[in-house]
């Protein structure tokens, strides 16, 4: 059993009409997917992210205004969940509605326990 | 628009209980104050907006939408606050923006409201909450009564009512009572607690004297609405629920004939029976039919049967007193109390006369408990009057007048006393 971070890239488009039927249905599928995780006790947290971003880098702490990546490579949201192993986490990721878009990607990463 | 205030106070009475039930499901019983604040703010906004823009097409829908959006704001601000626990069930999904809107939409669906109200009722009637506090909380949260209105209904001070509400909310905060429909094993006894509260609420409206007629009528209506809610919900469709509903219908059918235009009590023998509401009597009979399944025979069943006999009798004299006496004997057997014994004596006097009634009166166990009850003395006065002992009757009537709680009731006995002299 471990904690996994699912990073979403691409997918929803900034210009989407949030009142359109199509969008509502899309969000409904997010609901179904996450409610299923919640029911199995695996859901921990999830949030979508805004497009704009800033980046602070290096010891110089230089600040760069976003977008600093190709549109489709940008992280558009995350979900933190429990899974028995990597395979199960990947299995869960397959249900993610971000994959309904050609540009959609889910990166599955396991939380690392740092030795103390 | 002057009538906006009037309309919104009517809407408050009708819709606030539903909104509180839904909001409490979102924020938890420990945050009942938050739910009440949201409803309060929503109505303030409604009055301000409607005064300028006029009444919307669907005012209740407007209120629900505004309250929902206010709740969303609170969730966004308090996602990680220790004050709110969004960790269980679907509430966990309120924390994520991916699912917040859809989860909220689901929680506010029209067809779930009845269950929310039922859950809220079960929470208000938690066995560890004192009876009078249960009723106070029900009136405040589910029936949209203000603290002042509750105080008026119970003839107590606003301060007392506020303290009761505070104590009950404090209990909710500490015990974190879950909003749920009790398990099958618990359901019968927990529903019994709801029925007791509704019964008390109804009695408060029906029997309390020296009280404003309007507020009493509202108590009766609220008791009826709450009981109806139980008859319509599959979880609580028990025989005793239908029996209490029948009882409420039969009693309410006679309500308008029980007071004169001046607000004075008219006793059963002198009521204008043509004023009795036949459609309510029919409705009561319909509930009575539904109450007679299974092998449950509760005091509500018997009391409803007695009330029904009164409803269908052509006159006081033509009432089937024999049957009513049988019913009272059952009640005394299964649910003995000095008060029911006293009621039995009244029926007994009609069937077997004053002498038998006097004997029965002397046999009442715990008769001492009735000594401070004005009706006990008034009935004894009647018994003696009927058996021709005027001086004894006069003494009992005098004691009854002394003990009667209100001017109206004193007057009724005084008239009986006057009657002694005329004979």
């Amino acid at each position: 059993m471990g904690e996994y971070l699912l990073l979403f890239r691409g997918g929803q488009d900034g210009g989407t009409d949030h009142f359109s039927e199509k969008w509502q249905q899309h969000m409904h599928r997010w609901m179904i997917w996450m409610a299923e995780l919640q029911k199995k006790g695996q859901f921990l947290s999830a949030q979508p992210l805004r497009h704009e971003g800033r980046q602070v880098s290096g010891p110089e702490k230089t600040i760069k205004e976003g977008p600093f990546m190709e549109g489709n490579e940008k992280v558009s949201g995350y979900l933190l969940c429990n899974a028995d192993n990597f395979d199960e986490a990947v299995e869960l990721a397959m249900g993610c509605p971000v994959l309904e878009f050609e540009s959609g990607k889910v990166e599955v990463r396991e939380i690392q326990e740092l030795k103390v | 628009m002057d009538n906006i205030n009037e309309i919104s106070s009517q809407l408050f009475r009708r819709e606030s209980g539903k909104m509180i039930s839904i909001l409490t499901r979102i924020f938890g019983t420990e945050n009942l104050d938050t739910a009440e604040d949201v409803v309060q703010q929503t109505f303030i906004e409604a009055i301000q907006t409607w005064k300028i823009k006029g009444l919307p097409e669907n005012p209740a829908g407007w209120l629900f939408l505004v309250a929902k959006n206010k709740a969303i704001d609170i969730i966004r601000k308090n996602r990680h606050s220790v004050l709110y626990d969004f960790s269980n069930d679907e509430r966990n999904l309120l924390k994520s923006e991916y699912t917040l809107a859809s989860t909220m939409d689901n929680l506010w669906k029209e067809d779930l409201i009845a269950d929310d109200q039922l859950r809220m009722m079960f929470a208000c009637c938690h066995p560890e909450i004192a009876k009078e506090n249960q009723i106070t909380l029900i009136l405040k949260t589910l029936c949209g009564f203000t603290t002042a209105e509750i105080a008026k209904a119970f003839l107590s001070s606003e301060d007392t009512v506020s303290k009761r509400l505070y104590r009950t909310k404090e209990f909710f905060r500490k015990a974190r009572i879950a909003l749920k429909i009790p398990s099958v094993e618990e359901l019968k006894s927990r529903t019994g607690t709801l029925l007791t509260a509704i019964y008390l609420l109804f009695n408060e409206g029906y029997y309390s004297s020296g009280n404003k007629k309007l507020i009493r009528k509202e108590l009766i209506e609220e008791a009826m609405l709450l009981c109806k809610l139980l008859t319509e919900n599959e979880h609580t469709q028990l025989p005793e629920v239908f029996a209490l509903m029948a009882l409420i219908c039969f009693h309410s059918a006679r309500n308008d004939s029980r007071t004169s235009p001046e607000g004075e009590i008219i006793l059963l023998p002198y009521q204008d029976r043509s004023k009795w509401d036949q459609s309510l009597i029919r409705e009561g009979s319909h509930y009575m039919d539904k109450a007679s399944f299974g092998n449950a025979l509760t005091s509500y069943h018997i009391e409803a049967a007695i009330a029904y006999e009164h409803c269908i009798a052509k006159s006081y004299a033509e009432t089937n007193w024999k049957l009513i006496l049988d019913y009272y004997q059952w009640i005394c057997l299964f649910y003995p109390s000095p008060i029911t014994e006293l009621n039995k004596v009244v029926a007994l006097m009609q069937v077997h006369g004053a002498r038998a009634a006097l004997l029965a009166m002397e046999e009442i166990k715990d008769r001492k408990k009735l000594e401070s009850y004005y009706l006990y003395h008034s009935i004894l006065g009647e018994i003696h009057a009927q058996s021709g002992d005027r001086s004894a009757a006069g003494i009992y009537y005098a004691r009854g007048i002394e003990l009667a709680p209100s001017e109206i009731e004193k007057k009724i006995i005084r008239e009986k006393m006057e009657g002694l002299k005329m004979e």
Side-chain angles (χ1 to χ4, degrees), chain A residues 8 12 27-28 30-31 34-35 38 43-44 46-49 76-78, chain B residues 79-80 87-93 95-99 102-103 105-106:
Chain A
F8 313 136
Q12 76 226 68
M27 288 320 290
H28 184 64
W30 277 94
M31 171 78 186
M34 283 167 59
Q38 165 63 20
F43 174 77
L44 295 171
Q47 296 300 358
L49 300 176
S76 57
Y78 73 90
Chain B
R79 267 198 271 260
H80 305 292
S87 66
N88 64 352
D89 327 316
E90 76 239 281
R91 285 198 284 172
N92 205 356
L93 298 176
K95 289 191 296 193
S96 169
E97 288 292 331
Y98 281 118
T99 42
S102 322
T103 308
D105 283 344
N106 284 343

Side-chain angles (χ1 to χ4, degrees), chain B residues 392-416:
Chain B
I395 294 167
Y396 281 116
Y397 281 148
R399 182 82 182 121
I401 294 167
E402 208 178 301
L403 291 168
S406 75
E407 250 339 286
I408 300 167
E409 282 142 324
K410 285 182 200 296
K411 195 175 162 226
I412 290 169
I413 308 175
R414 221 172 268 134
E415 277 164 10
K416 285 183 184 165

Side-chain angles (χ1 to χ4, degrees), chain B residues 14-265:
Chain B
R14 218 173 48 228
E15 304 297 336
S16 71
K18 297 178 193 165
M19 290 157 77
I20 297 248
S21 302
I22 299 170
L23 289 161
T24 309
R25 180 136 172 251
I26 294 168
F27 297 115
T29 52
E30 68 275 18
N31 291 302
L32 186 54
D33 281 337
T34 307
E36 288 185 330
D37 284 348
V38 169
V39 173
Q40 204 67 254
Q41 294 299 325
T42 301
F43 273 89
I44 291 171
E45 200 174 312
I47 293 170
Q48 286 168 349
T49 313
W50 297 351
K51 274 191 174 152
I52 298 164
K53 296 189 177 170
L55 207 61
E57 217 167 285
N58 174 5
W62 191 100
L63 291 169
F64 275 47
L65 190 66
V66 170
K68 187 170 83 176
N69 288 335
K70 286 192 188 303
I72 288 178
D73 287 345
I74 294 175
I75 293 168
R76 283 188 172 140
K77 279 190 199 118
N78 294 281
R79 267 198 271 260
H80 305 292
S81 159
V82 289
L83 295 175
Y84 297 91
D85 176 14
F86 295 119
S87 66
N88 64 352
D89 327 316
E90 76 239 281
R91 285 198 284 172
N92 205 356
L93 298 176
L94 292 171
K95 289 191 296 193
S96 169
E97 288 292 331
Y98 281 118
T99 42
L100 172 58
S102 322
T103 308
M104 270 310 239
D105 283 344
N106 284 343
L107 286 166
W108 289 79
K109 271 193 182 138
E110 190 74 32
D111 51 343
L112 297 179
I113 296 175
D115 271 1
D116 284 334
Q117 286 173 293
L118 184 63
R119 277 187 218 120
M120 191 68 202
M121 244 167 115
F122 275 119
C124 290
C125 293
H126 193 277
E128 281 174 52
I129 302 173
K131 275 277 164 296
E132 65 271 20
N133 292 359
Q134 291 179 1
I135 305 174
T136 309
L137 193 66
I138 285 180
L139 284 175
K140 184 80 193 330
T141 58
L142 281 160
C143 306
F145 273 50
T146 63
T147 308
E149 284 169 328
I150 300 172
K152 208 154 78 181
F154 289 128
L155 300 175
S156 56
S157 70
E158 280 187 51
D159 194 42
T160 311
V161 174
S162 300
K163 274 184 192 144
R164 278 183 184 166
L165 288 170
Y166 179 79
R167 271 198 294 272
T168 319
K169 284 180 189 171
E170 194 61 24
F171 169 74
F172 274 168
R173 263 189 290 274
K174 285 186 182 135
R176 293 186 169 243
I177 300 302
L179 272 186
K180 58 174 187 188
I181 289 165
S183 64
V184 182
E185 301 84 58
E186 282 182 315
L187 202 57
K188 202 174 161 61
S189 80
R190 292 291 306 274
T191 306
T193 320
L194 296 189
L195 292 179
T196 311
I198 295 172
Y199 185 63
L200 286 174
L201 193 62
F202 178 78
N203 282 349
E204 197 59 42
Y206 200 72
Y207 295 108
S208 70
S209 51
N211 209 335
K212 288 253 159 54
K213 208 172 168 182
L214 184 70
I215 198 100
R216 285 180 40 193
K217 210 173 156 137
E218 283 176 357
L219 286 181
I220 293 173
E221 281 167 8
E222 292 302 332
M224 206 172 205
L225 280 174
L226 292 170
C227 198
K228 201 163 198 164
L229 204 81
L230 299 189
T231 66
E232 285 165 358
N233 197 301
E234 53 168 354
H235 298 287
T236 45
Q237 287 171 333
L238 301 170
E240 51 268 42
V241 171
F242 291 109
L244 178 58
M245 189 67 200
L247 174 64
I248 291 176
C249 286
F250 292 143
H251 277 332
S252 304
R254 292 176 10 223
N255 199 31
D256 282 344
S257 68
R258 290 170 66 242
T259 43
S260 70
E262 293 78 37
E264 297 189 331
I265 294 176

